[in-house]
Amino acid sequence: MFRMWGKIWKNNHLIKDTVIEISDYSMTRTQKVFHSLDEICSQFDLEKPIWLDANILEFQRHDKTRFSQDNFIELLDFQYLEIQIIEE
């Protein structure tokens, strides 16, 4: 089972969170990550963030990254969206 935790932070407080579970073993890890991020953004009513090089490197190293205003076109009312793989 693949599980990704999505969290919205504002002023160092957790505002919203959700966990996306995927049990489809035919999907690659990359497909699971992008599908989970799409689901998280859909639940939080956000556009999809842009992956910058720093996000890719952080995610590869720690299975976790933060998307701030630099990753979105629309104006955010929070500090950042954080995603983290909690189970593979």
Side-chain angles (χ1 to χ4, degrees), residues 6-79:
K7 301 173 267 187
I8 290 184
W9 293 87
K10 182 175 183 178
N11 299 326
N12 295 322
H13 288 83
L14 180 64
I15 304 299
K16 293 181 189 176
D17 73 319
T18 187
V19 175
I20 305 300
E21 296 181 358
I22 298 176
S23 57
D24 182 2
Y25 294 103
S26 67
M27 296 172 72
T28 65
R29 182 177 192 261
T30 303
Q31 289 173 327
K32 291 175 186 176
V33 168
F34 285 120
H35 179 74
S36 297
L37 182 57
D38 289 348
E39 288 294 317
I40 289 168
C41 289
S42 176
Q43 286 186 22
F44 293 157
D45 192 27
L46 294 172
E47 65 178 70
K48 295 178 196 172
I50 299 166
W51 286 80
L52 302 175
D53 291 339
N55 298 107
I56 295 168
L57 289 173
E58 184 180 24
F59 195 78
Q60 288 172 339
R61 289 184 185 146
H62 307 291
D63 289 339
K64 177 179 180 178
T65 193
R66 293 177 176 178
F67 298 105
S68 62
Q69 182 64 60
D70 294 340
N71 301 93
F72 293 91
I73 296 171
E74 67 184 23
L75 190 60
L76 302 179
D77 62 345
F78 55 87
Q79 278 181 300

